[in-house]
Amino acid sequence: LSRTLNRSVAEAASAARRLAAGERGIQIAPSSVREIADMSEAVSALDAALTSSEGRQREFLLSVSHEMRTPLTALRGYAEALADGAIGPDDMRATGATLVAETARLDRFVSDLLELARLEADDFSIESVDVSLDSLLRDLRDAWRATCGREGISLTIVSTDVVVRSDPMRLRQLLDGLVENAIRASPPGSEVVVRTRTSSGEVAIEVEDVGPGLDAADLADAFERGTLHAKYRELRSVGTGLGLSIAQRLATRMDIRLEVRSPPSGGAVFGVPLPIG
């Protein structure tokens, strides 16, 4: 019995060391001893979890590489054309506009990655004060007016003057991410609506678009980093795939939840429920 137990424990310990060294898919022989079997199952579960997590990380890195390569290719192409004198004076303005747009796109992507890193830091701070949602949403509308005008989208604010206890900068950052996602998903000539809904001591800030919407599987994966981006990048225009992930991480650090639903009329509604007062 002692030899059997020692062999089983040694096998589990060996498997754990192999996992730590980077090996995956390790098979552990089943044991008739319940405690040893439980330990072996735990090691196997850890193996599966690490395999899944590392797979998602690889997908994320591939997505990052793909997204960064596109603007970098455009920048290099135009830079080489300028260096070769292939772009004449009449095309300089259009070329400059393209370079600025691609640089801004790359800058936004890097900023998203940095924001994700900050959200993982232990010193990420939340400073809660009384926040007027009416004032916050008016500022939100003013900040996004130029972008909406450029995209041909109207941004409508429907709110009541409710006061909540939250960090105004972080809450605004979260809403900026949801509005940016809604604008990107909406076709020109459509409307993005940001509204407040009050019920039983709680107010929900909702951001609604009339884009392609989300199916049942999408609703479950809406905040998973890069999942929807990988699914739809070959089918329609998508962003970096990080915006909703950042919003979800922000919500988690602020101890609030994000909700998402697909209304019968189409599009998507993202909600941020907050306690009143």
Side-chain angles (χ1 to χ4, degrees):
L1 177 61
S2 176
R3 283 195 298 272
T4 299
L5 292 175
N6 284 338
R7 186 168 57 251
S8 298
V9 171
E11 184 178 1
S14 174
R17 284 192 290 270
R18 289 163 64 190
L19 285 175
E23 188 176 346
R24 301 292 179 261
I26 299 171
Q27 299 295 322
I28 303 177
S31 173
S32 58
V33 180
R34 187 184 64 185
E35 289 78 7
I36 298 297
D38 288 345
M39 181 175 63
S40 299
E41 289 176 3
V43 173
S44 296
L46 176 61
D47 187 357
L50 288 171
T51 301
S52 175
S53 175
E54 289 168 353
R56 289 196 300 270
Q57 289 179 13
R58 281 192 295 273
E59 274 297 316
F60 177 65
L61 288 174
L62 287 172
S63 176
V64 167
S65 301
H66 173 79
E67 289 298 320
M68 294 186 73
R69 187 180 296 115
T70 303
L72 283 173
T73 299
L75 290 171
R76 180 174 180 176
Y78 278 106
E80 290 175 346
L82 286 169
D84 294 340
I87 297 176
D90 294 341
D91 297 324
M92 282 294 184
R93 184 179 295 275
T95 299
T98 301
L99 291 173
V100 169
E102 291 302 315
T103 303
R105 180 180 173 191
L106 189 60
D107 179 67
R108 185 172 66 249
F109 188 65
V110 172
S111 296
D112 283 348
L113 292 175
L114 290 174
E115 189 58 43
L116 279 175
R118 292 190 193 100
L119 287 169
E120 299 295 336
D122 292 335
D123 61 352
F124 184 86
S125 61
I126 301 292
E127 299 180 5
S128 295
V129 297
D130 288 340
V131 181
S132 166
L133 291 188
D134 191 51
S135 176
L136 183 76
L137 295 185
R138 283 201 307 270
D139 291 343
L140 180 78
R141 178 193 57 205
D142 293 341
W144 285 98
R145 180 177 288 132
T147 300
C148 288
R150 187 169 60 248
E151 299 295 331
I153 294 169
S154 62
L155 178 62
T156 301
I157 304 295
V158 182
S159 70
T160 54
D161 194 11
V162 178
V163 174
V164 298
R165 190 78 179 172
S166 185
D167 185 318
M169 184 183 73
R170 301 299 183 188
L171 181 58
R172 170 62 192 279
Q173 184 181 2
L174 192 161
L175 292 174
D176 281 339
L178 296 182
V179 169
E180 181 182 19
N181 178 75
I183 292 172
R184 184 168 54 246
S186 300
S190 63
E191 180 184 38
V192 170
V193 179
V194 181
R195 67 170 65 89
T196 57
R197 292 187 184 276
T198 306
S199 63
S200 61
E202 186 178 77
V203 58
I205 308 172
E206 295 184 341
V207 179
E208 181 174 4
D209 64 64
V210 292
L214 303 170
D215 60 27
D218 293 341
L219 294 176
D221 296 331
F223 302 110
E224 283 292 325
R225 184 186 305 169
T227 301
L228 297 186
H229 174 266
K231 180 177 179 180
Y232 291 113
R233 67 186 177 192
E234 303 297 333
L235 302 176
R236 62 188 189 223
S237 176
V238 293
T240 62
L242 299 177
L244 291 180
S245 177
I246 291 174
Q248 170 70 354
R249 194 72 185 97
L250 263 171
T252 301
R253 296 302 296 261
M254 295 171 68
D255 197 25
I256 57 180
R257 70 184 189 277
L258 287 184
E259 300 175 340
V260 58
R261 58 186 172 87
S262 190
S265 58
V269 178
F270 291 87
V272 186
L274 298 166
I276 297 176

PDB file of all heavy atoms in Angstrom, residues 153-189:
ATOM      1  N   ILE A 153     -23.223  59.997 -37.779  1.00  0.00           N
ATOM      2  CA  ILE A 153     -24.068  59.348 -36.767  1.00  0.00           C
ATOM      3  C   ILE A 153     -24.513  60.394 -35.757  1.00  0.00           C
ATOM      4  O   ILE A 153     -23.729  61.272 -35.361  1.00  0.00           O
ATOM      5  CB  ILE A 153     -23.286  58.221 -36.057  1.00  0.00           C
ATOM      6  CG1 ILE A 153     -22.969  57.090 -37.046  1.00  0.00           C
ATOM      7  CG2 ILE A 153     -24.059  57.672 -34.864  1.00  0.00           C
ATOM      8  CD1 ILE A 153     -22.001  56.073 -36.509  1.00  0.00           C
ATOM      9  N   SER A 154     -25.769  60.319 -35.342  1.00  0.00           N
ATOM     10  CA  SER A 154     -26.261  61.230 -34.309  1.00  0.00           C
ATOM     11  C   SER A 154     -26.189  60.547 -32.950  1.00  0.00           C
ATOM     12  O   SER A 154     -26.487  59.366 -32.821  1.00  0.00           O
ATOM     13  CB  SER A 154     -27.703  61.658 -34.612  1.00  0.00           C
ATOM     14  OG  SER A 154     -28.562  60.535 -34.619  1.00  0.00           O
ATOM     15  N   LEU A 155     -25.766  61.301 -31.942  1.00  0.00           N
ATOM     16  CA  LEU A 155     -25.671  60.793 -30.571  1.00  0.00           C
ATOM     17  C   LEU A 155     -26.722  61.497 -29.734  1.00  0.00           C
ATOM     18  O   LEU A 155     -26.675  62.716 -29.557  1.00  0.00           O
ATOM     19  CB  LEU A 155     -24.273  61.051 -30.001  1.00  0.00           C
ATOM     20  CG  LEU A 155     -24.035  60.609 -28.547  1.00  0.00           C
ATOM     21  CD1 LEU A 155     -24.215  59.099 -28.405  1.00  0.00           C
ATOM     22  CD2 LEU A 155     -22.639  61.024 -28.088  1.00  0.00           C
ATOM     23  N   THR A 156     -27.671  60.736 -29.225  1.00  0.00           N
ATOM     24  CA  THR A 156     -28.779  61.286 -28.452  1.00  0.00           C
ATOM     25  C   THR A 156     -28.636  60.891 -26.984  1.00  0.00           C
ATOM     26  O   THR A 156     -28.383  59.720 -26.672  1.00  0.00           O
ATOM     27  CB  THR A 156     -30.125  60.765 -28.985  1.00  0.00           C
ATOM     28  OG1 THR A 156     -30.256  61.144 -30.362  1.00  0.00           O
ATOM     29  CG2 THR A 156     -31.288  61.341 -28.196  1.00  0.00           C
ATOM     30  N   ILE A 157     -28.789  61.871 -26.096  1.00  0.00           N
ATOM     31  CA  ILE A 157     -28.720  61.637 -24.660  1.00  0.00           C
ATOM     32  C   ILE A 157     -30.110  61.795 -24.066  1.00  0.00           C
ATOM     33  O   ILE A 157     -30.764  62.824 -24.266  1.00  0.00           O
ATOM     34  CB  ILE A 157     -27.754  62.624 -23.968  1.00  0.00           C
ATOM     35  CG1 ILE A 157     -26.360  62.542 -24.596  1.00  0.00           C
ATOM     36  CG2 ILE A 157     -27.703  62.364 -22.474  1.00  0.00           C
ATOM     37  CD1 ILE A 157     -25.659  61.232 -24.411  1.00  0.00           C
ATOM     38  N   VAL A 158     -30.584  60.778 -23.368  1.00  0.00           N
ATOM     39  CA  VAL A 158     -31.875  60.831 -22.684  1.00  0.00           C
ATOM     40  C   VAL A 158     -31.611  60.482 -21.226  1.00  0.00           C
ATOM     41  O   VAL A 158     -31.419  59.313 -20.865  1.00  0.00           O
ATOM     42  CB  VAL A 158     -32.892  59.840 -23.293  1.00  0.00           C
ATOM     43  CG1 VAL A 158     -34.239  59.973 -22.584  1.00  0.00           C
ATOM     44  CG2 VAL A 158     -33.038  60.074 -24.790  1.00  0.00           C
ATOM     45  N   SER A 159     -31.587  61.501 -20.353  1.00  0.00           N
ATOM     46  CA  SER A 159     -31.204  61.228 -18.966  1.00  0.00           C
ATOM     47  C   SER A 159     -32.019  62.051 -17.990  1.00  0.00           C
ATOM     48  O   SER A 159     -32.616  63.061 -18.349  1.00  0.00           O
ATOM     49  CB  SER A 159     -29.712  61.526 -18.766  1.00  0.00           C
ATOM     50  OG  SER A 159     -29.470  62.921 -18.838  1.00  0.00           O
ATOM     51  N   THR A 160     -32.021  61.596 -16.763  1.00  0.00           N
ATOM     52  CA  THR A 160     -32.583  62.335 -15.632  1.00  0.00           C
ATOM     53  C   THR A 160     -31.435  62.691 -14.704  1.00  0.00           C
ATOM     54  O   THR A 160     -30.395  62.023 -14.711  1.00  0.00           O
ATOM     55  CB  THR A 160     -33.619  61.490 -14.884  1.00  0.00           C
ATOM     56  OG1 THR A 160     -33.014  60.233 -14.511  1.00  0.00           O
ATOM     57  CG2 THR A 160     -34.828  61.206 -15.762  1.00  0.00           C
ATOM     58  N   ASP A 161     -31.623  63.726 -13.919  1.00  0.00           N
ATOM     59  CA  ASP A 161     -30.536  64.197 -13.053  1.00  0.00           C
ATOM     60  C   ASP A 161     -30.477  63.346 -11.790  1.00  0.00           C
ATOM     61  O   ASP A 161     -30.956  63.731 -10.730  1.00  0.00           O
ATOM     62  CB  ASP A 161     -30.726  65.669 -12.713  1.00  0.00           C
ATOM     63  CG  ASP A 161     -29.458  66.259 -12.108  1.00  0.00           C
ATOM     64  OD1 ASP A 161     -28.422  65.585 -12.164  1.00  0.00           O
ATOM     65  OD2 ASP A 161     -29.507  67.388 -11.605  1.00  0.00           O
ATOM     66  N   VAL A 162     -29.868  62.170 -11.926  1.00  0.00           N
ATOM     67  CA  VAL A 162     -29.706  61.244 -10.810  1.00  0.00           C
ATOM     68  C   VAL A 162     -28.269  61.328 -10.310  1.00  0.00           C
ATOM     69  O   VAL A 162     -27.337  61.450 -11.101  1.00  0.00           O
ATOM     70  CB  VAL A 162     -30.032  59.800 -11.251  1.00  0.00           C
ATOM     71  CG1 VAL A 162     -29.826  58.829 -10.097  1.00  0.00           C
ATOM     72  CG2 VAL A 162     -31.440  59.715 -11.782  1.00  0.00           C
ATOM     73  N   VAL A 163     -28.100  61.264  -9.006  1.00  0.00           N
ATOM     74  CA  VAL A 163     -26.769  61.305  -8.407  1.00  0.00           C
ATOM     75  C   VAL A 163     -26.385  59.900  -7.955  1.00  0.00           C
ATOM     76  O   VAL A 163     -27.151  59.228  -7.252  1.00  0.00           O
ATOM     77  CB  VAL A 163     -26.717  62.277  -7.217  1.00  0.00           C
ATOM     78  CG1 VAL A 163     -25.354  62.208  -6.513  1.00  0.00           C
ATOM     79  CG2 VAL A 163     -26.984  63.706  -7.686  1.00  0.00           C
ATOM     80  N   VAL A 164     -25.209  59.459  -8.367  1.00  0.00           N
ATOM     81  CA  VAL A 164     -24.704  58.152  -7.952  1.00  0.00           C
ATOM     82  C   VAL A 164     -23.354  58.346  -7.279  1.00  0.00           C
ATOM     83  O   VAL A 164     -22.713  59.395  -7.415  1.00  0.00           O
ATOM     84  CB  VAL A 164     -24.546  57.197  -9.163  1.00  0.00           C
ATOM     85  CG1 VAL A 164     -25.890  56.951  -9.828  1.00  0.00           C
ATOM     86  CG2 VAL A 164     -23.546  57.751 -10.174  1.00  0.00           C
ATOM     87  N   ARG A 165     -22.942  57.333  -6.561  1.00  0.00           N
ATOM     88  CA  ARG A 165     -21.634  57.359  -5.900  1.00  0.00           C
ATOM     89  C   ARG A 165     -20.673  56.528  -6.748  1.00  0.00           C
ATOM     90  O   ARG A 165     -20.793  55.302  -6.839  1.00  0.00           O
ATOM     91  CB  ARG A 165     -21.756  56.768  -4.501  1.00  0.00           C
ATOM     92  CG  ARG A 165     -20.524  56.965  -3.625  1.00  0.00           C
ATOM     93  CD  ARG A 165     -20.457  58.350  -3.066  1.00  0.00           C
ATOM     94  NE  ARG A 165     -19.288  58.523  -2.196  1.00  0.00           N
ATOM     95  CZ  ARG A 165     -18.905  59.692  -1.707  1.00  0.00           C
ATOM     96  NH1 ARG A 165     -19.604  60.789  -1.999  1.00  0.00           N
ATOM     97  NH2 ARG A 165     -17.846  59.777  -0.936  1.00  0.00           N
ATOM     98  N   SER A 166     -19.703  57.198  -7.375  1.00  0.00           N
ATOM     99  CA  SER A 166     -18.790  56.483  -8.258  1.00  0.00           C
ATOM    100  C   SER A 166     -17.567  57.350  -8.518  1.00  0.00           C
ATOM    101  O   SER A 166     -17.491  58.503  -8.079  1.00  0.00           O
ATOM    102  CB  SER A 166     -19.491  56.128  -9.575  1.00  0.00           C
ATOM    103  OG  SER A 166     -18.655  55.345 -10.401  1.00  0.00           O
ATOM    104  N   ASP A 167     -16.615  56.793  -9.246  1.00  0.00           N
ATOM    105  CA  ASP A 167     -15.441  57.539  -9.683  1.00  0.00           C
ATOM    106  C   ASP A 167     -15.780  58.141 -11.044  1.00  0.00           C
ATOM    107  O   ASP A 167     -15.910  57.409 -12.028  1.00  0.00           O
ATOM    108  CB  ASP A 167     -14.231  56.599  -9.805  1.00  0.00           C
ATOM    109  CG  ASP A 167     -12.940  57.331 -10.131  1.00  0.00           C
ATOM    110  OD1 ASP A 167     -12.983  58.246 -10.979  1.00  0.00           O
ATOM    111  OD2 ASP A 167     -11.895  56.980  -9.567  1.00  0.00           O
ATOM    112  N   PRO A 168     -15.947  59.470 -11.141  1.00  0.00           N
ATOM    113  CA  PRO A 168     -16.406  60.067 -12.400  1.00  0.00           C
ATOM    114  C   PRO A 168     -15.454  59.842 -13.570  1.00  0.00           C
ATOM    115  O   PRO A 168     -15.885  59.615 -14.696  1.00  0.00           O
ATOM    116  CB  PRO A 168     -16.538  61.556 -12.062  1.00  0.00           C
ATOM    117  CG  PRO A 168     -15.676  61.757 -10.862  1.00  0.00           C
ATOM    118  CD  PRO A 168     -15.721  60.484 -10.103  1.00  0.00           C
ATOM    119  N   MET A 169     -14.140  59.860 -13.302  1.00  0.00           N
ATOM    120  CA  MET A 169     -13.186  59.666 -14.385  1.00  0.00           C
ATOM    121  C   MET A 169     -13.262  58.232 -14.919  1.00  0.00           C
ATOM    122  O   MET A 169     -13.297  58.006 -16.130  1.00  0.00           O
ATOM    123  CB  MET A 169     -11.762  59.969 -13.908  1.00  0.00           C
ATOM    124  CG  MET A 169     -10.721  59.876 -15.014  1.00  0.00           C
ATOM    125  SD  MET A 169      -9.026  60.157 -14.427  1.00  0.00           S
ATOM    126  CE  MET A 169      -8.728  58.618 -13.542  1.00  0.00           C
ATOM    127  N   ARG A 170     -13.323  57.252 -14.009  1.00  0.00           N
ATOM    128  CA  ARG A 170     -13.374  55.850 -14.431  1.00  0.00           C
ATOM    129  C   ARG A 170     -14.711  55.528 -15.084  1.00  0.00           C
ATOM    130  O   ARG A 170     -14.765  54.782 -16.075  1.00  0.00           O
ATOM    131  CB  ARG A 170     -13.137  54.934 -13.235  1.00  0.00           C
ATOM    132  CG  ARG A 170     -11.811  55.147 -12.517  1.00  0.00           C
ATOM    133  CD  ARG A 170     -10.637  54.908 -13.422  1.00  0.00           C
ATOM    134  NE  ARG A 170      -9.371  55.050 -12.710  1.00  0.00           N
ATOM    135  CZ  ARG A 170      -8.171  55.038 -13.287  1.00  0.00           C
ATOM    136  NH1 ARG A 170      -8.087  54.925 -14.605  1.00  0.00           N
ATOM    137  NH2 ARG A 170      -7.073  55.171 -12.574  1.00  0.00           N
ATOM    138  N   LEU A 171     -15.789  56.093 -14.534  1.00  0.00           N
ATOM    139  CA  LEU A 171     -17.106  55.847 -15.122  1.00  0.00           C
ATOM    140  C   LEU A 171     -17.174  56.444 -16.527  1.00  0.00           C
ATOM    141  O   LEU A 171     -17.705  55.809 -17.457  1.00  0.00           O
ATOM    142  CB  LEU A 171     -18.197  56.455 -14.232  1.00  0.00           C
ATOM    143  CG  LEU A 171     -19.639  56.255 -14.701  1.00  0.00           C
ATOM    144  CD1 LEU A 171     -19.971  54.777 -14.846  1.00  0.00           C
ATOM    145  CD2 LEU A 171     -20.607  56.927 -13.715  1.00  0.00           C
ATOM    146  N   ARG A 172     -16.624  57.621 -16.704  1.00  0.00           N
ATOM    147  CA  ARG A 172     -16.601  58.244 -18.018  1.00  0.00           C
ATOM    148  C   ARG A 172     -15.739  57.419 -18.980  1.00  0.00           C
ATOM    149  O   ARG A 172     -16.094  57.225 -20.150  1.00  0.00           O
ATOM    150  CB  ARG A 172     -16.068  59.664 -17.887  1.00  0.00           C
ATOM    151  CG  ARG A 172     -15.767  60.357 -19.179  1.00  0.00           C
ATOM    152  CD  ARG A 172     -16.987  60.541 -20.080  1.00  0.00           C
ATOM    153  NE  ARG A 172     -16.509  60.961 -21.388  1.00  0.00           N
ATOM    154  CZ  ARG A 172     -16.168  62.225 -21.668  1.00  0.00           C
ATOM    155  NH1 ARG A 172     -16.278  63.181 -20.737  1.00  0.00           N
ATOM    156  NH2 ARG A 172     -15.729  62.526 -22.870  1.00  0.00           N
ATOM    157  N   GLN A 173     -14.634  56.903 -18.491  1.00  0.00           N
ATOM    158  CA  GLN A 173     -13.760  56.064 -19.308  1.00  0.00           C
ATOM    159  C   GLN A 173     -14.502  54.816 -19.773  1.00  0.00           C
ATOM    160  O   GLN A 173     -14.393  54.403 -20.941  1.00  0.00           O
ATOM    161  CB  GLN A 173     -12.522  55.679 -18.496  1.00  0.00           C
ATOM    162  CG  GLN A 173     -11.483  54.890 -19.271  1.00  0.00           C
ATOM    163  CD  GLN A 173     -10.294  54.520 -18.394  1.00  0.00           C
ATOM    164  OE1 GLN A 173     -10.258  54.821 -17.200  1.00  0.00           O
ATOM    165  NE2 GLN A 173      -9.318  53.854 -18.986  1.00  0.00           N
ATOM    166  N   LEU A 174     -15.271  54.217 -18.874  1.00  0.00           N
ATOM    167  CA  LEU A 174     -16.046  53.030 -19.222  1.00  0.00           C
ATOM    168  C   LEU A 174     -17.095  53.362 -20.289  1.00  0.00           C
ATOM    169  O   LEU A 174     -17.242  52.638 -21.282  1.00  0.00           O
ATOM    170  CB  LEU A 174     -16.705  52.485 -17.950  1.00  0.00           C
ATOM    171  CG  LEU A 174     -17.338  51.095 -17.972  1.00  0.00           C
ATOM    172  CD1 LEU A 174     -17.491  50.585 -16.545  1.00  0.00           C
ATOM    173  CD2 LEU A 174     -18.689  51.081 -18.652  1.00  0.00           C
ATOM    174  N   LEU A 175     -17.814  54.476 -20.100  1.00  0.00           N
ATOM    175  CA  LEU A 175     -18.854  54.873 -21.058  1.00  0.00           C
ATOM    176  C   LEU A 175     -18.243  55.256 -22.402  1.00  0.00           C
ATOM    177  O   LEU A 175     -18.835  54.988 -23.459  1.00  0.00           O
ATOM    178  CB  LEU A 175     -19.666  56.037 -20.487  1.00  0.00           C
ATOM    179  CG  LEU A 175     -20.536  55.695 -19.272  1.00  0.00           C
ATOM    180  CD1 LEU A 175     -21.174  56.965 -18.706  1.00  0.00           C
ATOM    181  CD2 LEU A 175     -21.603  54.685 -19.638  1.00  0.00           C
ATOM    182  N   ASP A 176     -17.058  55.875 -22.385  1.00  0.00           N
ATOM    183  CA  ASP A 176     -16.379  56.198 -23.639  1.00  0.00           C
ATOM    184  C   ASP A 176     -16.141  54.932 -24.458  1.00  0.00           C
ATOM    185  O   ASP A 176     -16.323  54.917 -25.680  1.00  0.00           O
ATOM    186  CB  ASP A 176     -15.040  56.888 -23.360  1.00  0.00           C
ATOM    187  CG  ASP A 176     -15.197  58.357 -23.008  1.00  0.00           C
ATOM    188  OD1 ASP A 176     -16.238  58.944 -23.354  1.00  0.00           O
ATOM    189  OD2 ASP A 176     -14.274  58.918 -22.388  1.00  0.00           O
ATOM    190  N   GLY A 177     -15.739  53.866 -23.779  1.00  0.00           N
ATOM    191  CA  GLY A 177     -15.502  52.606 -24.476  1.00  0.00           C
ATOM    192  C   GLY A 177     -16.761  52.046 -25.085  1.00  0.00           C
ATOM    193  O   GLY A 177     -16.753  51.543 -26.219  1.00  0.00           O
ATOM    194  N   LEU A 178     -17.887  52.145 -24.362  1.00  0.00           N
ATOM    195  CA  LEU A 178     -19.155  51.629 -24.878  1.00  0.00           C
ATOM    196  C   LEU A 178     -19.665  52.483 -26.037  1.00  0.00           C
ATOM    197  O   LEU A 178     -20.200  51.951 -27.023  1.00  0.00           O
ATOM    198  CB  LEU A 178     -20.197  51.582 -23.751  1.00  0.00           C
ATOM    199  CG  LEU A 178     -19.890  50.638 -22.589  1.00  0.00           C
ATOM    200  CD1 LEU A 178     -21.032  50.663 -21.576  1.00  0.00           C
ATOM    201  CD2 LEU A 178     -19.648  49.213 -23.075  1.00  0.00           C
ATOM    202  N   VAL A 179     -19.505  53.811 -25.927  1.00  0.00           N
ATOM    203  CA  VAL A 179     -19.948  54.696 -27.015  1.00  0.00           C
ATOM    204  C   VAL A 179     -19.090  54.485 -28.256  1.00  0.00           C
ATOM    205  O   VAL A 179     -19.602  54.430 -29.384  1.00  0.00           O
ATOM    206  CB  VAL A 179     -19.906  56.170 -26.559  1.00  0.00           C
ATOM    207  CG1 VAL A 179     -20.110  57.107 -27.745  1.00  0.00           C
ATOM    208  CG2 VAL A 179     -20.982  56.424 -25.509  1.00  0.00           C
ATOM    209  N   GLU A 180     -17.785  54.364 -28.071  1.00  0.00           N
ATOM    210  CA  GLU A 180     -16.905  54.117 -29.215  1.00  0.00           C
ATOM    211  C   GLU A 180     -17.291  52.825 -29.928  1.00  0.00           C
ATOM    212  O   GLU A 180     -17.341  52.760 -31.159  1.00  0.00           O
ATOM    213  CB  GLU A 180     -15.452  54.040 -28.758  1.00  0.00           C
ATOM    214  CG  GLU A 180     -14.477  53.816 -29.896  1.00  0.00           C
ATOM    215  CD  GLU A 180     -13.040  53.701 -29.417  1.00  0.00           C
ATOM    216  OE1 GLU A 180     -12.830  53.435 -28.218  1.00  0.00           O
ATOM    217  OE2 GLU A 180     -12.122  53.865 -30.241  1.00  0.00           O
ATOM    218  N   ASN A 181     -17.582  51.784 -29.147  1.00  0.00           N
ATOM    219  CA  ASN A 181     -18.005  50.515 -29.738  1.00  0.00           C
ATOM    220  C   ASN A 181     -19.315  50.675 -30.496  1.00  0.00           C
ATOM    221  O   ASN A 181     -19.486  50.137 -31.592  1.00  0.00           O
ATOM    222  CB  ASN A 181     -18.166  49.469 -28.626  1.00  0.00           C
ATOM    223  CG  ASN A 181     -18.651  48.138 -29.146  1.00  0.00           C
ATOM    224  OD1 ASN A 181     -17.920  47.380 -29.760  1.00  0.00           O
ATOM    225  ND2 ASN A 181     -19.924  47.837 -28.898  1.00  0.00           N
ATOM    226  N   ALA A 182     -20.266  51.447 -29.936  1.00  0.00           N
ATOM    227  CA  ALA A 182     -21.563  51.651 -30.590  1.00  0.00           C
ATOM    228  C   ALA A 182     -21.408  52.428 -31.890  1.00  0.00           C
ATOM    229  O   ALA A 182     -22.049  52.103 -32.898  1.00  0.00           O
ATOM    230  CB  ALA A 182     -22.502  52.392 -29.638  1.00  0.00           C
ATOM    231  N   ILE A 183     -20.556  53.450 -31.886  1.00  0.00           N
ATOM    232  CA  ILE A 183     -20.336  54.237 -33.105  1.00  0.00           C
ATOM    233  C   ILE A 183     -19.712  53.371 -34.192  1.00  0.00           C
ATOM    234  O   ILE A 183     -20.102  53.431 -35.362  1.00  0.00           O
ATOM    235  CB  ILE A 183     -19.449  55.452 -32.797  1.00  0.00           C
ATOM    236  CG1 ILE A 183     -20.196  56.441 -31.899  1.00  0.00           C
ATOM    237  CG2 ILE A 183     -18.997  56.144 -34.074  1.00  0.00           C
ATOM    238  CD1 ILE A 183     -19.336  57.580 -31.387  1.00  0.00           C
ATOM    239  N   ARG A 184     -18.768  52.553 -33.809  1.00  0.00           N
ATOM    240  CA  ARG A 184     -18.098  51.697 -34.781  1.00  0.00           C
ATOM    241  C   ARG A 184     -19.072  50.680 -35.392  1.00  0.00           C
ATOM    242  O   ARG A 184     -18.967  50.327 -36.569  1.00  0.00           O
ATOM    243  CB  ARG A 184     -16.924  50.971 -34.126  1.00  0.00           C
ATOM    244  CG  ARG A 184     -16.097  50.136 -35.083  1.00  0.00           C
ATOM    245  CD  ARG A 184     -14.808  49.674 -34.460  1.00  0.00           C
ATOM    246  NE  ARG A 184     -15.015  48.984 -33.210  1.00  0.00           N
ATOM    247  CZ  ARG A 184     -14.608  49.423 -32.029  1.00  0.00           C
ATOM    248  NH1 ARG A 184     -13.985  50.569 -31.942  1.00  0.00           N
ATOM    249  NH2 ARG A 184     -14.829  48.738 -30.932  1.00  0.00           N
ATOM    250  N   ALA A 185     -20.033  50.221 -34.588  1.00  0.00           N
ATOM    251  CA  ALA A 185     -20.973  49.203 -35.070  1.00  0.00           C
ATOM    252  C   ALA A 185     -22.120  49.794 -35.874  1.00  0.00           C
ATOM    253  O   ALA A 185     -22.828  49.063 -36.568  1.00  0.00           O
ATOM    254  CB  ALA A 185     -21.535  48.422 -33.876  1.00  0.00           C
ATOM    255  N   SER A 186     -22.314  51.115 -35.796  1.00  0.00           N
ATOM    256  CA  SER A 186     -23.491  51.735 -36.407  1.00  0.00           C
ATOM    257  C   SER A 186     -23.196  52.235 -37.812  1.00  0.00           C
ATOM    258  O   SER A 186     -22.141  52.815 -38.064  1.00  0.00           O
ATOM    259  CB  SER A 186     -23.973  52.905 -35.544  1.00  0.00           C
ATOM    260  OG  SER A 186     -24.322  52.461 -34.245  1.00  0.00           O
ATOM    261  N   PRO A 187     -24.125  52.063 -38.742  1.00  0.00           N
ATOM    262  CA  PRO A 187     -23.935  52.565 -40.108  1.00  0.00           C
ATOM    263  C   PRO A 187     -24.167  54.072 -40.169  1.00  0.00           C
ATOM    264  O   PRO A 187     -24.859  54.644 -39.316  1.00  0.00           O
ATOM    265  CB  PRO A 187     -25.013  51.819 -40.902  1.00  0.00           C
ATOM    266  CG  PRO A 187     -26.090  51.535 -39.898  1.00  0.00           C
ATOM    267  CD  PRO A 187     -25.383  51.304 -38.596  1.00  0.00           C
ATOM    268  N   PRO A 188     -23.593  54.757 -41.170  1.00  0.00           N
ATOM    269  CA  PRO A 188     -23.844  56.197 -41.325  1.00  0.00           C
ATOM    270  C   PRO A 188     -25.333  56.488 -41.460  1.00  0.00           C
ATOM    271  O   PRO A 188     -26.079  55.720 -42.063  1.00  0.00           O
ATOM    272  CB  PRO A 188     -23.099  56.531 -42.630  1.00  0.00           C
ATOM    273  CG  PRO A 188     -22.043  55.486 -42.747  1.00  0.00           C
ATOM    274  CD  PRO A 188     -22.653  54.235 -42.175  1.00  0.00           C
ATOM    275  N   GLY A 189     -25.747  57.602 -40.872  1.00  0.00           N
ATOM    276  CA  GLY A 189     -27.155  57.984 -40.907  1.00  0.00           C
ATOM    277  C   GLY A 189     -27.979  57.407 -39.778  1.00  0.00           C
ATOM    278  O   GLY A 189     -29.175  57.698 -39.676  1.00  0.00           O
TER     279      GLY A 189
END
